Structures are given as structure tokens and as C-alpha cells.
Amino acid sequence: MKKILIIALSVLTLSGCKFIDFVLHPDQYQKSSRVRVTEYVYDTIKVANKDGNVTTAVAGLPNKKVVLSEIGQSFTIKKGEIVEFVFNIDVTDATLEITTDLETNDITFKLVQKDTAKVYLTSKCQTVKRYQVGTVPAVEVSPNLKPEQIISTPLFDNNCQMIGYEIRYGSEERGCKKEAGEALKRFVECTKYGLRPTNPQQKKRPCVNELLGLPCK
């Protein structure tokens, strides 16, 4: 019995006053959990579909206002349309996937999970852009398509900083030269002349422009 008492007193002594206070006042303590820090973008941007290309240099009033706040939501802009997008998303978890219909030049914007969402390819030369991702996304091809190369091209901004990936079903040599043009040209330029390092002290808050592959204002 003396040994048990000595051990108990030793534990209390080693644990300090905080342990004793917990034993005497357990109702004042709550179980702690790890805090999850998120980075939210809540911003508005005006976007136009100019012959199948995304542009923010827009003159005129938007035709529609679209709010994207949940993964899986998507909206398609017809050729010539101007749309005001409102984003309310956690950029540590979500990003935009941008796909242009090769026949109609319609552009679809879809919110996807940044690290796990697959890219679905359903036609030859189809091109899908994913921005603000650190790894090449998994790809799934429609079973009725003829075999083609799946091309993954890193995307770079005007400062040759990598900002995402472009996934395409079909190579430049096999008829997808037009679709490969801009991304391939920038890739060659940036890898030839070298990447320009960023200043780690210039860390900025995320902005909606980055979801479209554009620099923050």
C-alpha cells in the first residue's frame, strides 16, 4: 500500500500543478483538436468568351451573374457572352477546370477538388486546363475513342512561373496543332530561357485571377 501511495504522489509531483488542477476541476477543461486553416477567395470577376478563349479585357455589361461556391458546380459561357463570376471557395481544396468545346467554342468552367478530381476526355484534341495544382491530375478517357496520346503540358504565366497543367487528347503531330499552340509555345520559351525565381517574401493572398491562369492585380 505504501508503494502505491508513493507512486501516486510521484506522478502528481512530476505532472505539476496543471495536472492537479485538472483532477480538481475537470469541468473547466475541454478536449483540444487541431485547428484547420483555410484560405478563402471571395471575389468577383467579369469574363468573356472570345472565339473560344477566356478574356477579362471586357467592354460592356455582363449577360449573367453566376455564383460558384461548391465543388462540382459548373457553368458554360457561349461564344460572345459576358458573365460575371462570383467565387466563394476554399482555394486550398478547390480549383477551376476550364474546357473549350472544339465545335461550338463554348467554354465550361467547373469547380473541382484540387488534388483528387480526374480529367475526363471525350473527344480527340479536347484540351482541359487546371490551374493552381501541384501535380498532374489523373485522366480517364471515354471508351469509344480511338487511341491517341495523352499530352500533359505545364502551364506558365508571363513570368515563367508554373501555374498548372494542360491535358490534351492527341498530339500536335496527329492533328491537334491548333489546340497545342499557345501552351506549347510558352513551355518551350520558359524551359529554354529558364524560370524566373520568385521572392518568398512577396507572399500574397490568393486572388480569383489565379484560378483563370491570370496574374493578380
Side-chain angles (χ1 to χ4, degrees):
M1 185 67 182
K2 288 182 178 180
K3 290 182 179 180
I4 295 174
L5 182 59
I6 292 170
I7 293 173
L9 289 172
S10 299
V11 170
L12 289 174
T13 302
L14 293 172
S15 301
C17 296
K18 187 175 182 179
F19 178 81
I20 298 173
D21 190 48
F22 172 75
V23 173
L24 297 176
H25 308 285
D27 57 316
Q28 297 180 12
Y29 286 81
Q30 295 180 349
K31 186 178 179 180
S32 62
S33 59
R34 191 174 180 179
V35 176
R36 182 173 183 265
V37 179
T38 59
E39 289 185 282
Y40 267 85
V41 162
Y42 185 81
D43 207 346
T44 301
I45 189 169
K46 190 166 61 171
V47 175
N49 179 348
K50 185 178 181 181
D51 298 321
N53 297 308
V54 179
T55 178
T56 56
V58 182
L61 297 174
N63 305 97
K64 298 168 185 173
K65 183 176 182 178
V66 179
V67 179
L68 295 178
S69 59
E70 297 179 9
I71 288 175
Q73 291 178 324
S74 65
F75 188 79
T76 299
I77 302 181
K78 304 291 183 182
K79 180 180 176 181
E81 272 192 326
I82 302 174
V83 172
E84 183 181 59
F85 278 113
V86 179
F87 292 94
N88 182 13
I89 61 171
D90 174 9
V91 292
T92 59
D93 187 51
T95 190
L96 265 186
E97 177 178 282
I98 303 174
T99 308
T100 300
D101 188 299
L102 301 178
E103 295 182 0
T104 64
N105 279 339
D106 294 347
I107 305 174
T108 299
F109 300 80
K110 184 178 181 181
L111 275 182
V112 297
Q113 209 286 330
K114 183 178 287 189
D115 299 319
T116 62
K118 290 182 180 180
V119 169
Y120 294 94
L121 300 174
T122 58
S123 60
K124 183 179 177 180
C125 296
Q126 180 185 355
T127 301
V128 177
K129 294 180 180 179
R130 287 263 184 97
Y131 293 105
Q132 299 302 305
V133 292
T135 58
V136 180
V139 178
E140 187 171 318
V141 178
S142 178
N144 60 343
L145 290 179
K146 293 181 180 180
E148 293 286 347
Q149 287 181 297
I150 298 173
I151 309 297
S152 173
T153 306
L155 294 169
F156 296 90
D157 63 15
N158 292 332
N159 294 317
C160 282
Q161 298 301 313
M162 204 178 90
I163 54 176
Y165 288 95
E166 180 181 273
I167 310 299
R168 186 177 64 259
Y169 193 62
S171 66
E172 185 183 19
E173 296 78 13
R174 298 242 331 149
C176 301
K177 185 175 183 178
K178 177 183 176 183
E179 291 75 18
E182 185 59 35
L184 184 58
K185 179 183 176 183
R186 181 64 59 83
F187 171 76
V188 171
E189 289 175 349
C190 288
T191 53
K192 180 179 179 180
Y193 298 110
L195 306 183
R196 302 174 192 175
T198 57
N199 185 348
Q201 295 181 349
Q202 293 178 342
K203 173 70 175 174
K204 58 185 182 302
R205 64 181 296 274
C207 76
V208 66
N209 291 44
E210 290 181 328
L211 298 174
L212 300 168
L214 301 170
C216 293
K217 295 179 181 180

PDB file of all heavy atoms in Angstrom, residues 101-134:
ATOM      1  N   ASP A 101     -15.244  23.695 -75.917  1.00  0.00           N
ATOM      2  CA  ASP A 101     -15.838  22.796 -76.905  1.00  0.00           C
ATOM      3  C   ASP A 101     -15.266  23.151 -78.278  1.00  0.00           C
ATOM      4  O   ASP A 101     -15.394  24.295 -78.741  1.00  0.00           O
ATOM      5  CB  ASP A 101     -17.364  22.950 -76.904  1.00  0.00           C
ATOM      6  CG  ASP A 101     -18.052  21.900 -77.765  1.00  0.00           C
ATOM      7  OD1 ASP A 101     -17.790  21.870 -78.982  1.00  0.00           O
ATOM      8  OD2 ASP A 101     -18.861  21.136 -77.225  1.00  0.00           O
ATOM      9  N   LEU A 102     -14.652  22.174 -78.941  1.00  0.00           N
ATOM     10  CA  LEU A 102     -13.958  22.445 -80.198  1.00  0.00           C
ATOM     11  C   LEU A 102     -14.908  22.758 -81.344  1.00  0.00           C
ATOM     12  O   LEU A 102     -14.515  23.403 -82.323  1.00  0.00           O
ATOM     13  CB  LEU A 102     -13.078  21.241 -80.570  1.00  0.00           C
ATOM     14  CG  LEU A 102     -12.013  20.844 -79.543  1.00  0.00           C
ATOM     15  CD1 LEU A 102     -11.248  19.629 -80.011  1.00  0.00           C
ATOM     16  CD2 LEU A 102     -11.070  22.002 -79.275  1.00  0.00           C
ATOM     17  N   GLU A 103     -16.154  22.313 -81.251  1.00  0.00           N
ATOM     18  CA  GLU A 103     -17.118  22.546 -82.336  1.00  0.00           C
ATOM     19  C   GLU A 103     -17.856  23.869 -82.185  1.00  0.00           C
ATOM     20  O   GLU A 103     -18.104  24.578 -83.163  1.00  0.00           O
ATOM     21  CB  GLU A 103     -18.115  21.390 -82.399  1.00  0.00           C
ATOM     22  CG  GLU A 103     -17.481  20.050 -82.768  1.00  0.00           C
ATOM     23  CD  GLU A 103     -18.503  18.941 -82.869  1.00  0.00           C
ATOM     24  OE1 GLU A 103     -19.711  19.217 -82.654  1.00  0.00           O
ATOM     25  OE2 GLU A 103     -18.105  17.795 -83.164  1.00  0.00           O
ATOM     26  N   THR A 104     -18.220  24.205 -80.952  1.00  0.00           N
ATOM     27  CA  THR A 104     -19.041  25.407 -80.727  1.00  0.00           C
ATOM     28  C   THR A 104     -18.266  26.579 -80.141  1.00  0.00           C
ATOM     29  O   THR A 104     -18.767  27.699 -80.107  1.00  0.00           O
ATOM     30  CB  THR A 104     -20.193  25.068 -79.770  1.00  0.00           C
ATOM     31  OG1 THR A 104     -19.638  24.714 -78.483  1.00  0.00           O
ATOM     32  CG2 THR A 104     -21.037  23.917 -80.300  1.00  0.00           C
ATOM     33  N   ASN A 105     -17.055  26.320 -79.623  1.00  0.00           N
ATOM     34  CA  ASN A 105     -16.250  27.326 -78.909  1.00  0.00           C
ATOM     35  C   ASN A 105     -16.871  27.747 -77.575  1.00  0.00           C
ATOM     36  O   ASN A 105     -16.483  28.774 -77.003  1.00  0.00           O
ATOM     37  CB  ASN A 105     -16.001  28.573 -79.770  1.00  0.00           C
ATOM     38  CG  ASN A 105     -14.860  28.363 -80.757  1.00  0.00           C
ATOM     39  OD1 ASN A 105     -14.017  27.489 -80.558  1.00  0.00           O
ATOM     40  ND2 ASN A 105     -14.839  29.139 -81.815  1.00  0.00           N
ATOM     41  N   ASP A 106     -17.842  26.987 -77.077  1.00  0.00           N
ATOM     42  CA  ASP A 106     -18.365  27.229 -75.730  1.00  0.00           C
ATOM     43  C   ASP A 106     -17.284  26.884 -74.704  1.00  0.00           C
ATOM     44  O   ASP A 106     -16.520  25.926 -74.893  1.00  0.00           O
ATOM     45  CB  ASP A 106     -19.608  26.374 -75.458  1.00  0.00           C
ATOM     46  CG  ASP A 106     -20.788  26.759 -76.334  1.00  0.00           C
ATOM     47  OD1 ASP A 106     -20.726  27.825 -76.971  1.00  0.00           O
ATOM     48  OD2 ASP A 106     -21.756  25.980 -76.378  1.00  0.00           O
ATOM     49  N   ILE A 107     -17.225  27.649 -73.616  1.00  0.00           N
ATOM     50  CA  ILE A 107     -16.227  27.408 -72.567  1.00  0.00           C
ATOM     51  C   ILE A 107     -16.940  27.026 -71.280  1.00  0.00           C
ATOM     52  O   ILE A 107     -17.843  27.739 -70.824  1.00  0.00           O
ATOM     53  CB  ILE A 107     -15.360  28.653 -72.312  1.00  0.00           C
ATOM     54  CG1 ILE A 107     -14.708  29.124 -73.610  1.00  0.00           C
ATOM     55  CG2 ILE A 107     -14.301  28.369 -71.257  1.00  0.00           C
ATOM     56  CD1 ILE A 107     -13.946  30.432 -73.467  1.00  0.00           C
ATOM     57  N   THR A 108     -16.542  25.907 -70.688  1.00  0.00           N
ATOM     58  CA  THR A 108     -17.144  25.438 -69.442  1.00  0.00           C
ATOM     59  C   THR A 108     -16.170  25.633 -68.289  1.00  0.00           C
ATOM     60  O   THR A 108     -15.009  25.199 -68.360  1.00  0.00           O
ATOM     61  CB  THR A 108     -17.533  23.947 -69.537  1.00  0.00           C
ATOM     62  OG1 THR A 108     -18.500  23.783 -70.578  1.00  0.00           O
ATOM     63  CG2 THR A 108     -18.133  23.461 -68.224  1.00  0.00           C
ATOM     64  N   PHE A 109     -16.642  26.277 -67.234  1.00  0.00           N
ATOM     65  CA  PHE A 109     -15.878  26.487 -66.007  1.00  0.00           C
ATOM     66  C   PHE A 109     -16.464  25.562 -64.938  1.00  0.00           C
ATOM     67  O   PHE A 109     -17.665  25.629 -64.657  1.00  0.00           O
ATOM     68  CB  PHE A 109     -15.985  27.937 -65.538  1.00  0.00           C
ATOM     69  CG  PHE A 109     -15.472  28.939 -66.530  1.00  0.00           C
ATOM     70  CD1 PHE A 109     -16.254  29.337 -67.605  1.00  0.00           C
ATOM     71  CD2 PHE A 109     -14.205  29.485 -66.396  1.00  0.00           C
ATOM     72  CE1 PHE A 109     -15.784  30.266 -68.522  1.00  0.00           C
ATOM     73  CE2 PHE A 109     -13.736  30.412 -67.309  1.00  0.00           C
ATOM     74  CZ  PHE A 109     -14.519  30.798 -68.379  1.00  0.00           C
ATOM     75  N   LYS A 110     -15.626  24.736 -64.339  1.00  0.00           N
ATOM     76  CA  LYS A 110     -16.110  23.795 -63.332  1.00  0.00           C
ATOM     77  C   LYS A 110     -15.214  23.833 -62.100  1.00  0.00           C
ATOM     78  O   LYS A 110     -13.991  23.791 -62.221  1.00  0.00           O
ATOM     79  CB  LYS A 110     -16.143  22.375 -63.897  1.00  0.00           C
ATOM     80  CG  LYS A 110     -16.719  21.340 -62.939  1.00  0.00           C
ATOM     81  CD  LYS A 110     -16.766  19.961 -63.594  1.00  0.00           C
ATOM     82  CE  LYS A 110     -17.365  18.933 -62.644  1.00  0.00           C
ATOM     83  NZ  LYS A 110     -17.405  17.580 -63.256  1.00  0.00           N
ATOM     84  N   LEU A 111     -15.835  23.889 -60.919  1.00  0.00           N
ATOM     85  CA  LEU A 111     -15.081  23.805 -59.665  1.00  0.00           C
ATOM     86  C   LEU A 111     -14.812  22.341 -59.351  1.00  0.00           C
ATOM     87  O   LEU A 111     -15.742  21.527 -59.295  1.00  0.00           O
ATOM     88  CB  LEU A 111     -15.872  24.435 -58.519  1.00  0.00           C
ATOM     89  CG  LEU A 111     -15.762  25.941 -58.323  1.00  0.00           C
ATOM     90  CD1 LEU A 111     -16.585  26.370 -57.113  1.00  0.00           C
ATOM     91  CD2 LEU A 111     -14.323  26.388 -58.150  1.00  0.00           C
ATOM     92  N   VAL A 112     -13.541  21.996 -59.169  1.00  0.00           N
ATOM     93  CA  VAL A 112     -13.166  20.608 -58.894  1.00  0.00           C
ATOM     94  C   VAL A 112     -12.257  20.536 -57.676  1.00  0.00           C
ATOM     95  O   VAL A 112     -11.637  21.524 -57.287  1.00  0.00           O
ATOM     96  CB  VAL A 112     -12.454  19.971 -60.110  1.00  0.00           C
ATOM     97  CG1 VAL A 112     -13.373  19.903 -61.311  1.00  0.00           C
ATOM     98  CG2 VAL A 112     -11.172  20.725 -60.447  1.00  0.00           C
ATOM     99  N   GLN A 113     -12.176  19.356 -57.091  1.00  0.00           N
ATOM    100  CA  GLN A 113     -11.265  19.134 -55.980  1.00  0.00           C
ATOM    101  C   GLN A 113      -9.837  19.176 -56.504  1.00  0.00           C
ATOM    102  O   GLN A 113      -9.503  18.542 -57.492  1.00  0.00           O
ATOM    103  CB  GLN A 113     -11.565  17.776 -55.327  1.00  0.00           C
ATOM    104  CG  GLN A 113     -11.232  17.696 -53.849  1.00  0.00           C
ATOM    105  CD  GLN A 113      -9.730  17.611 -53.598  1.00  0.00           C
ATOM    106  OE1 GLN A 113      -8.991  17.082 -54.426  1.00  0.00           O
ATOM    107  NE2 GLN A 113      -9.271  18.122 -52.481  1.00  0.00           N
ATOM    108  N   LYS A 114      -9.005  19.942 -55.866  1.00  0.00           N
ATOM    109  CA  LYS A 114      -7.682  20.261 -56.400  1.00  0.00           C
ATOM    110  C   LYS A 114      -6.790  19.043 -56.591  1.00  0.00           C
ATOM    111  O   LYS A 114      -6.092  18.922 -57.602  1.00  0.00           O
ATOM    112  CB  LYS A 114      -6.997  21.281 -55.483  1.00  0.00           C
ATOM    113  CG  LYS A 114      -5.650  21.748 -55.983  1.00  0.00           C
ATOM    114  CD  LYS A 114      -5.036  22.781 -55.065  1.00  0.00           C
ATOM    115  CE  LYS A 114      -5.726  24.115 -55.174  1.00  0.00           C
ATOM    116  NZ  LYS A 114      -4.988  25.181 -54.434  1.00  0.00           N
ATOM    117  N   ASP A 115      -6.788  18.107 -55.659  1.00  0.00           N
ATOM    118  CA  ASP A 115      -5.796  17.036 -55.677  1.00  0.00           C
ATOM    119  C   ASP A 115      -6.306  15.698 -56.200  1.00  0.00           C
ATOM    120  O   ASP A 115      -5.506  14.855 -56.607  1.00  0.00           O
ATOM    121  CB  ASP A 115      -5.218  16.836 -54.275  1.00  0.00           C
ATOM    122  CG  ASP A 115      -4.512  18.080 -53.772  1.00  0.00           C
ATOM    123  OD1 ASP A 115      -3.806  18.707 -54.572  1.00  0.00           O
ATOM    124  OD2 ASP A 115      -4.690  18.427 -52.594  1.00  0.00           O
ATOM    125  N   THR A 116      -7.622  15.453 -56.175  1.00  0.00           N
ATOM    126  CA  THR A 116      -8.121  14.112 -56.489  1.00  0.00           C
ATOM    127  C   THR A 116      -9.054  14.032 -57.695  1.00  0.00           C
ATOM    128  O   THR A 116      -9.308  12.936 -58.184  1.00  0.00           O
ATOM    129  CB  THR A 116      -8.862  13.530 -55.274  1.00  0.00           C
ATOM    130  OG1 THR A 116      -9.995  14.363 -54.955  1.00  0.00           O
ATOM    131  CG2 THR A 116      -7.943  13.447 -54.054  1.00  0.00           C
ATOM    132  N   ALA A 117      -9.577  15.149 -58.186  1.00  0.00           N
ATOM    133  CA  ALA A 117     -10.544  15.093 -59.287  1.00  0.00           C
ATOM    134  C   ALA A 117      -9.869  14.648 -60.586  1.00  0.00           C
ATOM    135  O   ALA A 117      -8.796  15.127 -60.947  1.00  0.00           O
ATOM    136  CB  ALA A 117     -11.199  16.457 -59.484  1.00  0.00           C
ATOM    137  N   LYS A 118     -10.518  13.730 -61.305  1.00  0.00           N
ATOM    138  CA  LYS A 118      -9.998  13.259 -62.580  1.00  0.00           C
ATOM    139  C   LYS A 118     -10.350  14.228 -63.703  1.00  0.00           C
ATOM    140  O   LYS A 118     -11.333  14.960 -63.622  1.00  0.00           O
ATOM    141  CB  LYS A 118     -10.588  11.884 -62.926  1.00  0.00           C
ATOM    142  CG  LYS A 118     -10.102  10.740 -62.065  1.00  0.00           C
ATOM    143  CD  LYS A 118     -10.721   9.442 -62.553  1.00  0.00           C
ATOM    144  CE  LYS A 118     -10.250   8.253 -61.711  1.00  0.00           C
ATOM    145  NZ  LYS A 118     -10.863   6.979 -62.187  1.00  0.00           N
ATOM    146  N   VAL A 119      -9.546  14.185 -64.761  1.00  0.00           N
ATOM    147  CA  VAL A 119      -9.867  14.875 -66.004  1.00  0.00           C
ATOM    148  C   VAL A 119     -10.518  13.851 -66.934  1.00  0.00           C
ATOM    149  O   VAL A 119      -9.950  12.785 -67.183  1.00  0.00           O
ATOM    150  CB  VAL A 119      -8.603  15.455 -66.672  1.00  0.00           C
ATOM    151  CG1 VAL A 119      -8.911  15.926 -68.085  1.00  0.00           C
ATOM    152  CG2 VAL A 119      -8.042  16.599 -65.841  1.00  0.00           C
ATOM    153  N   TYR A 120     -11.706  14.173 -67.449  1.00  0.00           N
ATOM    154  CA  TYR A 120     -12.420  13.266 -68.342  1.00  0.00           C
ATOM    155  C   TYR A 120     -12.298  13.765 -69.782  1.00  0.00           C
ATOM    156  O   TYR A 120     -12.701  14.887 -70.099  1.00  0.00           O
ATOM    157  CB  TYR A 120     -13.890  13.164 -67.941  1.00  0.00           C
ATOM    158  CG  TYR A 120     -14.101  12.507 -66.598  1.00  0.00           C
ATOM    159  CD1 TYR A 120     -14.209  13.269 -65.441  1.00  0.00           C
ATOM    160  CD2 TYR A 120     -14.150  11.113 -66.488  1.00  0.00           C
ATOM    161  CE1 TYR A 120     -14.382  12.660 -64.208  1.00  0.00           C
ATOM    162  CE2 TYR A 120     -14.318  10.497 -65.255  1.00  0.00           C
ATOM    163  CZ  TYR A 120     -14.435  11.281 -64.110  1.00  0.00           C
ATOM    164  OH  TYR A 120     -14.595  10.683 -62.894  1.00  0.00           O
ATOM    165  N   LEU A 121     -11.735  12.925 -70.647  1.00  0.00           N
ATOM    166  CA  LEU A 121     -11.539  13.274 -72.045  1.00  0.00           C
ATOM    167  C   LEU A 121     -12.523  12.492 -72.909  1.00  0.00           C
ATOM    168  O   LEU A 121     -12.594  11.259 -72.828  1.00  0.00           O
ATOM    169  CB  LEU A 121     -10.105  12.971 -72.461  1.00  0.00           C
ATOM    170  CG  LEU A 121      -9.022  13.735 -71.673  1.00  0.00           C
ATOM    171  CD1 LEU A 121      -7.635  13.248 -72.077  1.00  0.00           C
ATOM    172  CD2 LEU A 121      -9.152  15.231 -71.888  1.00  0.00           C
ATOM    173  N   THR A 122     -13.276  13.221 -73.738  1.00  0.00           N
ATOM    174  CA  THR A 122     -14.353  12.593 -74.504  1.00  0.00           C
ATOM    175  C   THR A 122     -14.224  12.787 -76.010  1.00  0.00           C
ATOM    176  O   THR A 122     -15.062  12.295 -76.762  1.00  0.00           O
ATOM    177  CB  THR A 122     -15.718  13.153 -74.044  1.00  0.00           C
ATOM    178  OG1 THR A 122     -15.717  14.584 -74.229  1.00  0.00           O
ATOM    179  CG2 THR A 122     -15.972  12.828 -72.585  1.00  0.00           C
ATOM    180  N   SER A 123     -13.210  13.525 -76.487  1.00  0.00           N
ATOM    181  CA  SER A 123     -13.051  13.735 -77.928  1.00  0.00           C
ATOM    182  C   SER A 123     -11.584  14.007 -78.259  1.00  0.00           C
ATOM    183  O   SER A 123     -10.813  14.452 -77.405  1.00  0.00           O
ATOM    184  CB  SER A 123     -13.916  14.905 -78.400  1.00  0.00           C
ATOM    185  OG  SER A 123     -13.541  16.096 -77.741  1.00  0.00           O
ATOM    186  N   LYS A 124     -11.216  13.739 -79.520  1.00  0.00           N
ATOM    187  CA  LYS A 124      -9.847  13.990 -79.956  1.00  0.00           C
ATOM    188  C   LYS A 124      -9.556  15.482 -79.935  1.00  0.00           C
ATOM    189  O   LYS A 124     -10.414  16.306 -80.271  1.00  0.00           O
ATOM    190  CB  LYS A 124      -9.637  13.439 -81.369  1.00  0.00           C
ATOM    191  CG  LYS A 124      -8.204  13.615 -81.859  1.00  0.00           C
ATOM    192  CD  LYS A 124      -8.001  13.043 -83.250  1.00  0.00           C
ATOM    193  CE  LYS A 124      -6.573  13.321 -83.727  1.00  0.00           C
ATOM    194  NZ  LYS A 124      -6.308  12.777 -85.078  1.00  0.00           N
ATOM    195  N   CYS A 125      -8.381  15.830 -79.522  1.00  0.00           N
ATOM    196  CA  CYS A 125      -7.886  17.205 -79.403  1.00  0.00           C
ATOM    197  C   CYS A 125      -8.537  17.989 -78.259  1.00  0.00           C
ATOM    198  O   CYS A 125      -8.234  19.172 -78.072  1.00  0.00           O
ATOM    199  CB  CYS A 125      -8.044  17.987 -80.702  1.00  0.00           C
ATOM    200  SG  CYS A 125      -7.063  17.347 -82.083  1.00  0.00           S
ATOM    201  N   GLN A 126      -9.426  17.351 -77.502  1.00  0.00           N
ATOM    202  CA  GLN A 126     -10.016  18.048 -76.352  1.00  0.00           C
ATOM    203  C   GLN A 126      -8.908  18.486 -75.402  1.00  0.00           C
ATOM    204  O   GLN A 126      -7.977  17.740 -75.115  1.00  0.00           O
ATOM    205  CB  GLN A 126     -10.998  17.140 -75.614  1.00  0.00           C
ATOM    206  CG  GLN A 126     -11.642  17.801 -74.405  1.00  0.00           C
ATOM    207  CD  GLN A 126     -12.521  16.845 -73.612  1.00  0.00           C
ATOM    208  OE1 GLN A 126     -12.729  15.700 -74.017  1.00  0.00           O
ATOM    209  NE2 GLN A 126     -13.023  17.305 -72.497  1.00  0.00           N
ATOM    210  N   THR A 127      -9.021  19.708 -74.919  1.00  0.00           N
ATOM    211  CA  THR A 127      -7.999  20.284 -74.046  1.00  0.00           C
ATOM    212  C   THR A 127      -8.643  20.777 -72.757  1.00  0.00           C
ATOM    213  O   THR A 127      -9.641  21.494 -72.800  1.00  0.00           O
ATOM    214  CB  THR A 127      -7.287  21.452 -74.747  1.00  0.00           C
ATOM    215  OG1 THR A 127      -6.679  20.973 -75.951  1.00  0.00           O
ATOM    216  CG2 THR A 127      -6.209  22.042 -73.870  1.00  0.00           C
ATOM    217  N   VAL A 128      -8.069  20.375 -71.635  1.00  0.00           N
ATOM    218  CA  VAL A 128      -8.581  20.764 -70.322  1.00  0.00           C
ATOM    219  C   VAL A 128      -7.457  21.449 -69.555  1.00  0.00           C
ATOM    220  O   VAL A 128      -6.344  20.921 -69.472  1.00  0.00           O
ATOM    221  CB  VAL A 128      -9.088  19.544 -69.531  1.00  0.00           C
ATOM    222  CG1 VAL A 128      -9.555  19.965 -68.137  1.00  0.00           C
ATOM    223  CG2 VAL A 128     -10.214  18.845 -70.283  1.00  0.00           C
ATOM    224  N   LYS A 129      -7.760  22.621 -68.989  1.00  0.00           N
ATOM    225  CA  LYS A 129      -6.763  23.356 -68.213  1.00  0.00           C
ATOM    226  C   LYS A 129      -7.122  23.316 -66.740  1.00  0.00           C
ATOM    227  O   LYS A 129      -8.266  23.567 -66.362  1.00  0.00           O
ATOM    228  CB  LYS A 129      -6.682  24.809 -68.694  1.00  0.00           C
ATOM    229  CG  LYS A 129      -6.144  24.947 -70.116  1.00  0.00           C
ATOM    230  CD  LYS A 129      -6.086  26.398 -70.556  1.00  0.00           C
ATOM    231  CE  LYS A 129      -5.540  26.506 -71.978  1.00  0.00           C
ATOM    232  NZ  LYS A 129      -5.488  27.897 -72.454  1.00  0.00           N
ATOM    233  N   ARG A 130      -6.129  23.005 -65.921  1.00  0.00           N
ATOM    234  CA  ARG A 130      -6.276  23.034 -64.471  1.00  0.00           C
ATOM    235  C   ARG A 130      -5.211  23.961 -63.908  1.00  0.00           C
ATOM    236  O   ARG A 130      -4.016  23.756 -64.127  1.00  0.00           O
ATOM    237  CB  ARG A 130      -6.066  21.640 -63.867  1.00  0.00           C
ATOM    238  CG  ARG A 130      -7.208  20.661 -64.111  1.00  0.00           C
ATOM    239  CD  ARG A 130      -8.144  20.597 -62.935  1.00  0.00           C
ATOM    240  NE  ARG A 130      -9.159  19.588 -63.148  1.00  0.00           N
ATOM    241  CZ  ARG A 130      -9.070  18.354 -62.663  1.00  0.00           C
ATOM    242  NH1 ARG A 130      -8.024  18.002 -61.952  1.00  0.00           N
ATOM    243  NH2 ARG A 130     -10.041  17.498 -62.875  1.00  0.00           N
ATOM    244  N   TYR A 131      -5.647  24.979 -63.181  1.00  0.00           N
ATOM    245  CA  TYR A 131      -4.714  25.938 -62.611  1.00  0.00           C
ATOM    246  C   TYR A 131      -4.555  25.724 -61.099  1.00  0.00           C
ATOM    247  O   TYR A 131      -5.433  25.157 -60.442  1.00  0.00           O
ATOM    248  CB  TYR A 131      -5.191  27.369 -62.869  1.00  0.00           C
ATOM    249  CG  TYR A 131      -5.161  27.755 -64.325  1.00  0.00           C
ATOM    250  CD1 TYR A 131      -6.332  27.837 -65.068  1.00  0.00           C
ATOM    251  CD2 TYR A 131      -3.955  28.021 -64.973  1.00  0.00           C
ATOM    252  CE1 TYR A 131      -6.299  28.188 -66.413  1.00  0.00           C
ATOM    253  CE2 TYR A 131      -3.915  28.372 -66.315  1.00  0.00           C
ATOM    254  CZ  TYR A 131      -5.091  28.448 -67.018  1.00  0.00           C
ATOM    255  OH  TYR A 131      -5.053  28.786 -68.352  1.00  0.00           O
ATOM    256  N   GLN A 132      -3.422  26.196 -60.587  1.00  0.00           N
ATOM    257  CA  GLN A 132      -3.138  26.153 -59.151  1.00  0.00           C
ATOM    258  C   GLN A 132      -3.128  24.730 -58.601  1.00  0.00           C
ATOM    259  O   GLN A 132      -3.648  24.454 -57.521  1.00  0.00           O
ATOM    260  CB  GLN A 132      -4.138  27.025 -58.390  1.00  0.00           C
ATOM    261  CG  GLN A 132      -4.113  28.491 -58.778  1.00  0.00           C
ATOM    262  CD  GLN A 132      -2.728  29.107 -58.579  1.00  0.00           C
ATOM    263  OE1 GLN A 132      -2.157  29.052 -57.500  1.00  0.00           O
ATOM    264  NE2 GLN A 132      -2.183  29.687 -59.635  1.00  0.00           N
ATOM    265  N   VAL A 133      -2.559  23.795 -59.368  1.00  0.00           N
ATOM    266  CA  VAL A 133      -2.378  22.422 -58.908  1.00  0.00           C
ATOM    267  C   VAL A 133      -0.900  22.084 -58.972  1.00  0.00           C
ATOM    268  O   VAL A 133      -0.180  22.554 -59.856  1.00  0.00           O
ATOM    269  CB  VAL A 133      -3.193  21.410 -59.744  1.00  0.00           C
ATOM    270  CG1 VAL A 133      -4.678  21.600 -59.511  1.00  0.00           C
ATOM    271  CG2 VAL A 133      -2.883  21.534 -61.235  1.00  0.00           C
ATOM    272  N   GLY A 134      -0.445  21.268 -58.037  1.00  0.00           N
ATOM    273  CA  GLY A 134       0.981  20.957 -57.967  1.00  0.00           C
ATOM    274  C   GLY A 134       1.367  19.663 -58.648  1.00  0.00           C
ATOM    275  O   GLY A 134       2.544  19.411 -58.877  1.00  0.00           O
TER     276      GLY A 134
END
